[in-house]
Amino acid sequence: MKKQLNVLYVAAEIAPFGATGGLADVGESLPEVLGEKGVNISRVMPKYKGLEDRYKLEKVCSFIVETSGKANVANIYKYKEDVVTTYFIGNDDYFERDNYYGYNDDDIRFGFFSKAVLEMLIVLSIKPGIIHLNDWQSALISLFLKKEYSHIDFYKEIKVMYTIHNLQYQGLFNKETLDKLCLSTKYFNMESLEYYGKISYMKAGIIFSDIITTVSETYAKEIQTPLYGYGLDGILKKNKNKICGITNGIHYDKFNPQTDSYIKFNYHIDNAIHGKNENKKYLQKHIGLPIKNAPLFGMVSRLSEQKGIDLCLKAISQLIKEDIQFVILGTGDSHYEEQLLQLSKKYPDKLKVMIEFNQEMARLIYASSDFFLMPSLFEPCGLSQIYSMRFGTVPIVRKTGGLVDTVKPFDIGSKTGTGLIFQHYNGDALKESIKKGIGLYKNTDIWKSIVRNCMSQRFSWDESAKMYIDKYNELIN
Ligand code: ADP
């Protein structure tokens, strides 16, 4: 008989409590699906500013965690839902701030978080068989568990899964961080946390976890190469036997054009062309683009180098004379924000740029656009292209990472496939794909097929959750 799976899922972002990108979406949906499949799962994240009041969190306990020779109070809160209980680690100094990351003391903030998570387990007598860590912010838990707390019986049997959502963000800090977290300098070597003169939290996760997953199969292979490995390809290759790729899913009931209350006109696969056009007219009016039946290219994204914004700037400038429109929603690097805003000021009838994080507008764009631009430099999995297909919006993507695993090139002859895919990371390649897209859009018959193909895709969590469960079972049996 299989053992009951008891899992603690740890992430720095879990929607709706805190979100800046895909990590939060996964933290929201994966544990819920695992819970529905019988896994006894709870999750934990930092208690960021405003969460206590907004979600009426229940305070559970307080205890002291030591860092920097300082006693820090950890206030534990919880939010109970049907399937999953979420715990929050509170400390006003560290987490009652305007942003989640980007502070000089991020090393201590997430070091404190990591220790507090482990100590919370003893205080609340929660004993998971597996702790599932995500990205650099919680990666140090693996080191504390396997090295610093391993002499304590309570922690001895616990296994660790570590999921890499984005290898680019590694949590790199100075060597002095070790001391601040009461960790010995013995960890400052290449077989441990050292990374080119710094220490890397991500590397701790890679080395001290029992199993590593990444969020798509292609990305699992890519990160073991110098091109995508961000200097960690060597250590990843060395640990290749414990790496596996499991492609993310989305919540098909929650993201449903038929019922979505954020969008103006609900539609389904059989009236998608009409429904999308109605939404497009509404969006055009709402954001001040001319109301017309021209192909609309949407983008909802962090504005960072990873997302191929340079390529968009170039391709859009070159195509601006065509009878097409662009709408971009995003926040991120200020130089991208400025360049996009400048371009939209120059061509207000062609390009609308909105610099904000706005879920409702995001959904309107997914529903109203004909194409979704995602020309990423690299893409661990990417959820936006999956959302766009769900809404019958044809993705135009670069051939990398999870985009390869989720978007299949459209073939005119057989009318199969869901999107347009280009290989070379340059503006011209994106421009050519956009032009090809315009051609497809003009052929009503072809267009209906590709929209239908997109809406027929099922990247649900069902299969992926089963794979996680298999991996959890491997760990504890
Ligand atoms: P990443 O995690 O690299 O940012 P993903 O495609 O995996 O990329 O996930 C991005 C998620 O964040 C999607 O749900 C997308 O809709 C959402 N998102 C990104 N930017 C914004 C924004 N400005 N407003 C609302 N949602 C956004």
Side-chain angles (χ1 to χ4, degrees):
M1 209 175 80
K2 276 188 180 159
K3 286 189 203 159
Q4 167 69 39
L5 289 171
N6 295 309
V7 178
L8 179 75
Y9 187 92
V10 191
E13 296 178 30
I14 296 169
F17 309 110
T20 67
L23 172 67
D25 295 23
V26 176
E28 177 181 29
S29 43
L30 175 61
E32 281 172 11
V33 179
L34 291 169
E36 282 158 11
K37 290 190 180 301
V39 177
N40 180 18
I41 184 162
S42 34
R43 54 192 171 190
V44 56
M45 65 176 280
K47 183 176 78 64
Y48 297 118
K49 193 173 173 180
L51 287 184
E52 187 178 352
D53 292 339
R54 204 171 322 138
Y55 292 97
K56 311 242 169 315
L57 304 181
E58 178 194 338
K59 179 136 185 219
V60 187
C61 65
S62 296
F63 52 85
I64 296 295
V65 174
E66 200 186 326
T67 59
S68 293
K70 191 176 138 203
N72 304 278
V73 64
N75 294 311
I76 309 299
Y77 297 77
K78 79 173 176 186
Y79 184 85
K80 206 168 164 14
E81 288 169 286
D82 286 350
V83 192
V84 191
T85 296
T86 309
Y87 292 91
F88 297 84
I89 308 279
N91 176 293
D92 289 356
D93 282 351
Y94 292 147
F95 297 124
E96 283 291 313
R97 302 186 187 183
D98 289 339
N99 297 309
Y100 303 160
Y101 328 111
Y103 298 99
N104 286 338
D105 60 348
D106 279 356
D107 54 345
I108 309 190
R109 294 171 71 229
F110 288 97
F112 159 80
F113 172 71
S114 300
K115 280 180 140 180
V117 166
L118 288 175
E119 293 181 21
M120 173 189 89
L121 296 178
I122 285 209
V123 175
L124 298 182
S125 296
I126 300 172
K127 188 158 180 189
I130 295 149
I131 302 186
H132 186 159
L133 308 176
N134 293 278
D135 274 352
W136 70 266
Q137 302 93 331
S138 53
L140 269 197
I141 289 178
S142 60
L143 176 140
F144 283 121
L145 182 74
K146 298 290 173 127
K147 294 287 169 191
E148 299 290 303
Y149 291 59
S150 56
H151 60 284
I152 305 170
D153 274 349
F154 180 88
Y155 294 107
K156 272 190 178 143
E157 304 274 291
I158 301 177
K159 303 284 184 199
V160 178
M161 176 184 280
Y162 180 53
T163 298
I164 299 173
H165 297 254
N166 192 331
L167 194 67
Q168 185 183 26
Y169 303 102
Q170 297 190 4
L172 294 183
F173 303 105
N174 293 330
K175 186 182 168 191
E176 289 68 42
T177 293
L178 291 172
D179 190 43
K180 292 182 201 163
L181 295 178
C182 316
L183 287 169
S184 151
T185 48
K186 73 178 182 204
Y187 296 117
F188 192 70
N189 70 72
M190 287 313 284
E191 298 309 311
S192 192
L193 303 195
E194 186 181 352
Y195 177 90
Y196 300 101
K198 300 227 163 206
I199 61 159
S200 161
Y201 283 16
M202 175 72 80
K203 204 171 161 192
I206 293 168
I207 290 174
F208 297 108
S209 62
D210 298 294
I211 196 161
I212 301 166
T213 68
T214 67
V215 287
S216 71
E217 284 175 47
T218 299
Y219 193 60
K221 291 183 205 129
E222 284 177 344
I223 57 174
Q224 298 178 50
T225 66
L227 192 58
Y228 291 98
Y230 279 94
L232 291 174
D233 43 297
I235 195 77
L236 282 162
K237 242 176 152 165
K238 217 168 165 182
N239 285 277
K240 66 173 189 239
N241 290 340
K242 59 179 192 184
I243 301 179
C244 99
I246 303 178
T247 304
N248 281 338
I250 64 164
H251 208 301
Y252 273 76
D253 292 334
K254 219 172 113 196
F255 294 90
N256 183 351
Q258 219 170 329
T259 52
D260 196 315
S261 58
Y262 282 152
I263 67 177
K264 201 65 189 164
F265 296 92
N266 290 116
Y267 58 95
H268 52 84
I269 191 164
D270 292 325
N271 70 350
I273 304 284
H274 174 71
K276 288 181 67 62
N277 277 333
E278 290 301 305
N279 283 304
K280 181 155 75 177
K281 280 189 227 159
Y282 172 79
L283 179 70
Q284 286 166 330
K285 185 162 180 227
H286 188 66
I287 62 177
L289 282 174
I291 299 171
K292 61 194 306 195
N293 190 14
L296 176 65
F297 294 79
M299 185 168 197
V300 177
S301 181
R302 285 186 293 112
L303 301 177
S304 69
E305 193 199 8
Q306 175 197 339
K307 298 296 180 177
I309 312 298
D310 294 301
L311 272 55
C312 291
L313 283 161
K314 188 156 182 217
I316 293 172
S317 310
Q318 291 183 4
L319 289 165
I320 210 79
K321 298 265 151 43
E322 300 274 337
D323 188 20
I324 55 180
Q325 295 177 336
F326 296 92
V327 53
I328 299 180
L329 171 71
T331 55
D333 297 354
S334 52
H335 70 283
Y336 286 133
E337 295 184 353
E338 279 156 26
Q339 288 182 73
L340 285 167
L341 284 171
Q342 262 176 23
L343 199 61
S344 71
K345 269 193 203 136
K346 209 164 155 193
Y347 304 106
D349 284 355
K350 291 292 177 73
L351 167 65
K352 176 73 185 180
V353 172
M354 288 167 279
I355 304 295
E356 56 180 322
F357 194 91
N358 181 336
Q359 302 271 17
E360 191 169 339
M361 180 52 71
R363 222 67 78 76
L364 267 173
I365 293 175
Y366 285 122
S368 314
S369 304
D370 300 298
F371 296 93
F372 191 84
L373 299 179
M374 207 155 167
S376 305
L377 175 62
F378 68 94
E379 195 57 72
C381 176
L383 294 172
S384 306
Q385 81 283 10
I386 305 179
Y387 294 138
S388 80
M389 289 189 276
R390 173 65 167 145
F391 284 88
T393 302
V394 177
I396 299 184
V397 303
R398 197 174 89 77
K399 194 173 178 186
T400 183
L403 299 173
V404 176
D405 299 340
T406 54
V407 180
K408 297 293 159 225
F410 184 72
D411 176 71
I412 296 191
S414 59
K415 290 189 184 163
T416 54
T418 52
L420 291 118
I421 304 180
F422 64 94
Q423 174 123 34
H424 297 294
Y425 188 75
N426 63 56
D428 286 339
L430 173 60
K431 185 181 78 181
E432 288 313 313
S433 288
I434 292 179
K435 278 185 165 171
K436 247 190 232 167
I438 299 171
L440 297 178
Y441 179 83
K442 285 183 179 157
N443 182 329
T444 314
D445 192 35
I446 294 281
W447 188 246
K448 276 188 189 158
S449 316
I450 190 166
V451 170
R452 182 167 273 279
N453 293 352
C454 284
M455 292 185 78
S456 308
Q457 298 302 301
R458 279 293 171 275
F459 292 98
S460 79
W461 272 114
D462 204 47
E463 280 308 306
S464 305
K466 278 188 207 147
M467 290 168 80
Y468 276 105
I469 290 175
D470 286 347
K471 289 288 161 192
Y472 289 157
N473 276 319
E474 258 177 47
L475 276 178
I476 62 163
N477 286 307

